[in-house]
Amino acid sequence: MKNIRISSSVAGLIVLGIVLGLWINRPREPSIDLGAAAPKFVAAGTMKLLDVASVEVATVGVDIMPPEVQLRIDLNNGANGYLGYYTNGRWGANLVLTRPVQGGTDNVGQVTVEGFSLDDFYNVYSKPPQSSGVFVPVHRSRVSTFSREWWLSLMDREGLDSLESEISSEDTRLVRRDGTPFAVCGRDKYGIPTIAFVSSKLALQSILKFSPIQTDDGSTVSTSLEVYNVKGQNVALVDTRPSPGPQLSLTSAVDHDSEVPILGHTLDPTGTKLIPFRSPYPQGDEGVVSWLAQPMYRGRLPLRLIGADGSEIWFSGKTIGR
C-alpha cells in the first residue's frame, strides 16, 4: 500500500510538472500591440529601395499579377549587377539566384529553391551543371520524453521567429487597399535596418536586412534575404557579406517541439551537393556557387524606400543603432 501511495505521488508530481511547463510556455497574444506602427497604404506596383548614392539595392513588386504573384523582391548588385529574386503568390514561394552575362540578358546559370509552401521538404535546382534537383528534407528531431533535454525544452523554449522578435522597433506597417498588411519596416534589436514581409496574419514570409560592414563611418551595409516556410521556419538565407557571394545556406532539420532550426547546410561550389555547416554559421565563401560568384556591391546608409508614385515610404536612418 505504501508503495502504491509513493508511486501515485510521483506520478502526480510528473503530471503537475508537465502542466506547469505547458502553462509557462502557453502562447501569449496581447490584445493590443503597443509597439505596432501606424499602417500606411501602398498602391500596387513596384517600389525602389535606394541607397545614399541613389543606387537600386532592391525592388519590391506588390500585387503585380495577383493572385499569382502577390510579392516579388529583386536583389540588385550595384547599378549594373543582379543577384536574383524571391516571389510569393498563389503557387507558393520561390527563391532564384542568378548571374546575367555582362552586357546581355542570357544567364550563365541559376540556383532555384522551391517548396517553401510545404513544411516537410523543399528542392534545390542548379543550372548548370545539374539537371535533377537536390532534395532537402526538413527533419524533426525529437528528444526522449522525461529526459533532461525534454524538461529544459518545456522551461526554456525559444520558439519560432516572430514579427516582434525580428523588428523590435517599427517605423511603419505597409498595407494593401483592403487594409491587409504585407510588410513592416523598422529596426531589429541591434538597430539594423530591416523590412519584414508578412502574410495577412503577420506571419513572417521573408526578411530583408542591411547589416553593417566595418568601415570608418559605419554607414556601409550588406544585404541579406531570409526566407520562411508556411510553418514559420527560417529555411533559407541569402547573404552578400562574403566577397565572392552571394552565399546561400539552407535549413534541413528543426527541433520537433519548438520548431527552431538546429541544422544547416550550404551548397558546394558546383551547386550539386549539400555540405553541413562547419560552425554555427557559414564561414568565408561557404555556400557560394562558383559560377554565380561576383564581387558584392556595398550600399551606404541611409536607405529610402520609394513608391511607384515617387513618394518616400520609408527612411532607414543614417547609422546602425537605435
Side-chain angles (χ1 to χ4, degrees):
M1 182 65 70
K2 182 178 180 180
N3 290 335
I4 294 176
R5 287 198 299 269
I6 293 175
S7 298
S8 299
S9 300
V10 172
L13 289 174
I14 291 175
V15 172
L16 178 61
I18 294 173
V19 172
L20 179 61
L22 294 175
W23 182 83
I24 291 174
N25 287 275
R26 72 192 187 282
R28 296 174 175 84
E29 297 183 359
S31 56
I32 299 176
D33 185 354
L34 299 178
K40 184 172 185 177
F41 166 65
V42 175
T46 299
M47 297 178 285
K48 298 178 180 180
L49 188 64
L50 308 177
D51 73 354
V52 71
S54 295
V55 174
E56 288 188 16
V57 177
T59 60
V60 179
V62 180
D63 293 334
I64 303 300
M65 294 186 296
E68 281 73 19
V69 179
Q70 296 174 324
L71 175 68
R72 175 171 172 134
I73 304 170
D74 285 87
L75 301 177
N76 297 321
N77 188 27
N80 300 310
Y82 188 68
L83 297 180
Y85 64 89
Y86 165 83
T87 59
N88 201 324
R90 170 185 284 179
W91 311 117
N94 292 300
L95 173 65
V96 178
L97 297 183
T98 185
R99 183 184 179 187
V101 175
Q102 187 70 24
T105 58
D106 295 333
N107 295 327
V108 298
Q110 63 183 28
V111 173
T112 302
V113 188
E114 60 184 34
F116 298 125
S117 57
L118 306 170
D119 69 339
D120 54 357
F121 74 92
Y122 49 98
N123 285 305
V124 181
Y125 299 93
S126 296
K127 184 181 180 180
Q130 85 187 24
S131 57
S132 60
V134 177
F135 178 75
V136 186
V138 180
H139 301 290
R140 281 168 177 73
S141 174
R142 183 189 292 273
V143 297
S144 300
T145 305
F146 300 136
S147 67
R148 179 175 180 272
E149 291 77 12
W150 184 85
W151 285 106
L152 289 175
S153 70
L154 286 179
M155 305 301 293
D156 188 26
R157 283 173 54 179
E158 294 182 13
L160 295 172
D161 293 341
S162 66
L163 179 60
E164 290 77 14
S165 66
E166 290 302 307
I167 299 189
S168 56
S169 177
E170 295 187 14
D171 295 328
T172 185
R173 293 191 173 196
L174 310 183
V175 300
R176 294 181 169 87
R177 182 179 295 275
D178 61 2
T180 59
F182 68 87
V184 178
C185 305
R187 296 193 173 223
D188 70 5
K189 61 183 178 181
Y190 302 107
I192 294 174
T194 303
I195 304 177
F197 299 92
V198 297
S199 69
S200 59
K201 296 182 179 180
L202 295 177
L204 293 175
Q205 295 179 329
S206 58
I207 296 179
L208 272 175
K209 285 194 176 186
F210 306 94
S211 303
I213 299 292
Q214 290 186 350
T215 56
D216 293 336
D217 60 4
S219 66
T220 305
V221 295
S222 66
T223 306
S224 66
L225 175 67
E226 301 174 25
V227 180
Y228 294 76
N229 66 6
V230 292
K231 283 284 190 177
Q233 300 157 349
N234 186 333
V235 293
L237 170 64
V238 179
D239 197 347
T240 65
R241 275 176 293 183
S243 58
Q247 178 188 69
L248 174 65
S249 55
L250 306 161
T251 295
S252 59
V254 297
D255 181 80
H256 185 280
D257 295 304
S258 67
E259 298 288 343
V260 175
I262 58 176
L263 179 62
H265 285 81
T266 57
L267 287 176
D268 75 341
T270 69
T272 62
K273 297 178 182 178
L274 292 176
I275 301 176
F277 290 169
R278 290 195 292 268
S279 63
Y281 300 98
Q283 300 293 313
D285 59 356
E286 288 182 307
V288 177
V289 178
S290 60
W291 35 268
L292 295 181
Q294 53 185 303
M296 294 288 98
Y297 174 77
R298 306 306 186 191
R300 297 180 70 85
L301 298 179
L303 300 171
R304 294 179 297 129
L305 186 63
I306 306 299
D309 60 355
S311 63
E312 184 176 287
I313 297 173
W314 176 63
F315 179 81
S316 72
K318 298 180 179 181
T319 59
I320 301 295
R322 299 290 180 86

